Amino acid sequence: MSKAADNIRFIIIMALTLAVMSLGAFRLMKLQLVDGSSYLEKSLSSNTAEQVINAPRGEIADANGEYLVSNKAGFNAVIQKAFFPTDNAGINRIILKVAGVLEEENVEWEDALPVSDNAPFEFTPDRESDIARLRKNIGVQVYGTAEDCITAMTGLYGIDESYTDREKRIIAGVRYTMYLRDFSVSNRYTFAEDITMEAVVRLKELTYDLDGVDIVQEAVRVVKTGDVIPHLIGTVGAISAEEYDELKDSGYALNDSLGKGGLEKAMESTLRGQKGVRTLEIQGGTVVSDETTVEPVPGNTIKLTVDSDYQRKVQTILENHIWWLNNQTSSKAKGTEANAGALVVLDAKSGALLAAATSPTYDLNDYLENYSAVANGENSPLLNRVTSGLYRPGSTFKTVTATAALNEGVITPTDVVNCQKYYTYWEGWSPECTGFHGRLNVVGALRESCNIFFYEVGRIMGIDKITEYASLYGLGEEMGLETGRGKKTGYIASPETFEARKQVWQAGNVIQAAIGQSDTYVTPLQMADQALMIGNRGVRYQTYLVDSVYTYNMESLVSKTQPVKAAVIEDKTGYTFDTVIEGMEEAAAFEAYSYPSVKDYYTDSYLLSELPQKAAIKTGTPQMTSKSDTGSAFIGFYPSDDPVIAFSGFVEKGEYSKLMIREMIEAYYNENYHIEKLGGMSAEELAAALADNNDDTDENYDEYDESYDDHEDYEADE
């Protein structure tokens, strides 16, 4: 090839090279001079995201302002989406590392996955709806097993096969809970609440390796006094999917907490507070500013009508009585199978709930720490017998029949019925009384609790008036208590009740209804309000538990509950209530029996005649499931002429419930009144406390049986 040709080739190559370089220079110039501002704007572009700041929940205090449920400063481990990895490998690694620290420090974290913690994996019992939702959310067929679900989530969340089964389960549980809690830039995820200081320190030390994980100090719900009316206080828990569907339009998020029962649920709007807003500015995918733009407003604090000290005393009185019944040593002792009960005390002037004891009971802290143990406790401790226990009222109901008969002119205070033990109105059926009481007027009939008197009066008056007055007394009616736990209202025996229960009403049922038997079932709370209405001579107040509402920390009063008249019975005769009260006063003073079998701590403490003023009561021994399976009930108020408190009580399979009344009254009036819990006695102390009982003779018991049964009677539902 000639030298000239080589020169030509060189010139062509150089020309092409210069052309390419010129084009590159032109493109660079265009990027810098023409498009530079556009790219600079993109690099500097920003957007904002808003995060919710939860407000401290309002607290709950007793009548003295002592907190039952409050908040404390606690440390929560949270994850911020804006700083969190976006790849599955990074996400899973951090989740497992945080969980490992928490597990080593014995700190539990939230896990909504209804699958066992370890292989072989099984579904968690009693979570059918959660299991169905899980299958749907992760695309597993409706009959898929727990193993199928873990396998599906392993793929869905990119969980490496090198992880152990336990590690896979941990990651899957957190990832699934993140999904349920709607984890996003605007909605941070709370990994664990109220973690220990040891866990705080360790996670803080690992911050460099845990992108998006933060430790924040926030208000944590704490039960300070868990043994005071736990059924009525209730709990707080994570919001469920069903609850979220109903509340999402009210500003709730999937990671919110919500009142789950009792006052925590019923007063949710009062306790909840108003959320704040945290605004994040993000540039080029990096958070450059973080500011609280709306301050959260704490919820309001609730002050109750219940005094913790008095509530504990009433609870102890009930538990002592059941314990004593169980530990009688006489061969003829009654009520030894007593296993549960309730006591209620109301402010007679307003309807405010002063004490609500139910046995067995539980501590809210135990409930939160080990729900299964509490739920499976003997004799259903989760049942609030005050508001939801349904019992035949027995002879306590005779005050209703007496009120109706007197007020409607069916009888006068001087009219008498001759009790000859058997009621012989219907041929072939003779329901009986417990003795031959002879001629009694209504006062004597209330004192002696004579069945024959009220059989006759009830038959003459008819069922319509009985049910009308029972309703006015609040029996079988909603009490209006804020907790909403009084929804199980019960019912009064009537043709309508029998029809609804697919039973046949017969003429003879009216006399059983007149003495609180048949298909009449009411709650102890209703019975206490019945007593209140008698004491107030026809005025019944709606019961309530919330005395007042304050701003957080009780800085200023928001509202004060005012008494509300729920019903009024006009005294048409001018003597209706005076007559009923006189009968109840005589029942309180009736001491023909001296309880010779009761020689331990009740000997000097049960006599109501020893009180400074008169008490008014009515007792009963209503049938529960059979004539041999009875309960012991009472209603009453004190003082009888101008009541301050009204009360009721019921002991399942028990006896002698009247023995608790004087202690309840004295404990109310004397703040220093001391009641020792008998159930905590040693074997030696128990033997000493029951020593006198060992000396009881059958003769004493026979004397007792005759006098007591004549007065208290068994209201047999023939």
Side-chain angles (χ1 to χ4, degrees), residues 279-465:
T279 302
L280 306 176
E281 184 178 353
I282 304 172
Q283 291 185 354
T286 302
V287 176
V288 296
S289 69
D290 180 349
E291 180 184 4
T292 299
T293 49
V294 178
E295 291 289 343
V297 179
N300 288 330
T301 291
I302 294 172
K303 183 179 178 182
L304 306 182
T305 58
V306 171
D307 175 284
S308 295
D309 184 57
Y310 184 57
Q311 167 67 25
R312 285 196 183 98
K313 289 178 180 178
V314 173
Q315 182 73 38
T316 299
I317 290 168
L318 175 61
E319 292 176 357
N320 278 355
H321 186 70
I322 294 174
W323 177 89
W324 172 77
L325 288 170
N326 296 157
N327 288 278
Q328 295 175 93
T329 57
S330 171
S331 61
K332 291 189 176 181
K334 294 184 178 181
T336 56
E337 295 182 359
N339 56 13
L343 293 179
V344 184
V345 183
L346 301 177
D347 184 326
K349 302 300 184 186
S350 65
L353 185 65
L354 301 179
T358 183
S359 180
T361 186
Y362 60 93
D363 188 299
L364 269 177
N365 286 303
D366 294 335
Y367 177 96
L368 295 171
E369 292 172 8
N370 193 346
Y371 169 79
S372 295
V374 174
N376 296 320
E378 190 176 2
N379 297 321
S380 305
L382 292 183
L383 173 62
N384 183 2
R385 288 169 165 82
V386 167
T387 60
S388 299
L390 292 181
Y391 306 108
R392 285 170 169 157
S395 286
T396 64
F397 189 89
K398 291 172 181 175
T399 57
V400 177
T401 304
T403 302
L406 287 164
N407 216 37
E408 297 299 326
V410 176
I411 60 171
T412 68
T414 58
D415 289 338
V416 297
V417 171
N418 187 16
C419 171
Q420 295 298 314
K421 190 175 177 63
Y422 297 98
Y423 189 65
T424 58
Y425 181 80
W426 287 284
E427 184 177 350
W429 180 45
S430 302
E432 63 184 283
C433 200
T434 56
F436 295 88
H437 294 124
R439 295 170 60 83
L440 292 174
N441 61 16
V442 65
V443 170
L446 288 170
R447 180 188 67 241
E448 303 289 342
S449 201
C450 177
N451 285 351
I452 303 302
F453 183 94
F454 289 100
Y455 283 157
E456 179 67 2
V457 170
R459 181 190 64 78
I460 295 171
M461 181 166 54
I463 194 61
D464 290 343
K465 284 300 177 183

Side-chain angles (χ1 to χ4, degrees), residues 612-627:
Q613 300 181 67
K614 287 183 178 181
I617 70 166
K618 183 69 194 79
T619 58
T621 312
Q623 185 181 323
M624 294 185 68
T625 57
S626 66
K627 186 172 181 178

Side-chain angles (χ1 to χ4, degrees), residues 119-335:
F121 297 111
E122 297 179 350
F123 288 123
T124 307
D126 303 321
R127 295 184 62 182
E128 285 72 16
S129 62
D130 292 334
I131 294 168
R133 188 180 303 110
L134 168 65
R135 289 175 174 137
K136 180 179 179 181
N137 287 338
I138 64 175
V140 170
Q141 62 180 350
V142 294
Y143 297 110
T145 65
E147 293 281 358
D148 293 335
C149 291
I150 294 296
T151 300
M153 285 186 284
T154 298
L156 181 64
Y157 299 133
I159 303 174
D160 197 280
E161 287 297 333
S162 64
Y163 286 126
T164 65
D165 287 341
R166 172 63 179 150
E167 290 170 336
K168 290 177 182 178
R169 169 62 182 80
I170 290 173
I171 295 170
V174 174
R175 294 290 297 268
Y176 182 67
T177 307
M178 284 178 163
Y179 165 77
L180 292 180
R181 299 290 176 258
D182 195 27
F183 178 46
S184 65
V185 172
S186 300
N187 195 13
R188 75 181 191 188
Y189 177 71
T190 300
F191 202 111
E193 290 186 331
D194 196 22
I195 65 177
T196 64
M197 188 54 63
E198 291 78 9
V200 170
V201 171
R202 290 187 60 185
L203 290 175
K204 283 286 189 181
E205 290 174 347
L206 294 171
T207 300
Y208 71 92
D209 195 34
L210 299 176
D211 294 341
V213 178
D214 194 10
I215 304 298
V216 297
Q217 189 172 16
E218 294 182 317
V220 175
R221 200 70 165 167
V222 58
V223 177
K224 299 188 70 175
T225 307
D227 63 338
V228 173
I229 55 172
H231 301 82
L232 297 175
I233 296 296
T235 58
V236 174
I239 193 169
S240 67
E242 293 86 353
E243 290 167 333
Y244 176 70
D245 288 340
E246 296 179 5
L247 297 171
K248 59 186 177 182
D249 295 334
S250 301
Y252 283 86
L254 275 168
N255 64 344
D256 279 348
S257 294
L258 185 71
K260 293 294 185 175
L263 285 172
E264 291 280 22
K265 180 178 181 179
M267 304 292 289
E268 171 70 19
S269 60
T270 299
L271 294 166
R272 181 186 177 201
Q274 300 175 18
K275 297 178 179 180
V277 177
R278 178 186 184 189
T279 302
L280 306 176
E281 184 178 353
I282 304 172
Q283 291 185 354
T286 302
V287 176
V288 296
S289 69
D290 180 349
E291 180 184 4
T292 299
T293 49
V294 178
E295 291 289 343
V297 179
N300 288 330
T301 291
I302 294 172
K303 183 179 178 182
L304 306 182
T305 58
V306 171
D307 175 284
S308 295
D309 184 57
Y310 184 57
Q311 167 67 25
R312 285 196 183 98
K313 289 178 180 178
V314 173
Q315 182 73 38
T316 299
I317 290 168
L318 175 61
E319 292 176 357
N320 278 355
H321 186 70
I322 294 174
W323 177 89
W324 172 77
L325 288 170
N326 296 157
N327 288 278
Q328 295 175 93
T329 57
S330 171
S331 61
K332 291 189 176 181
K334 294 184 178 181

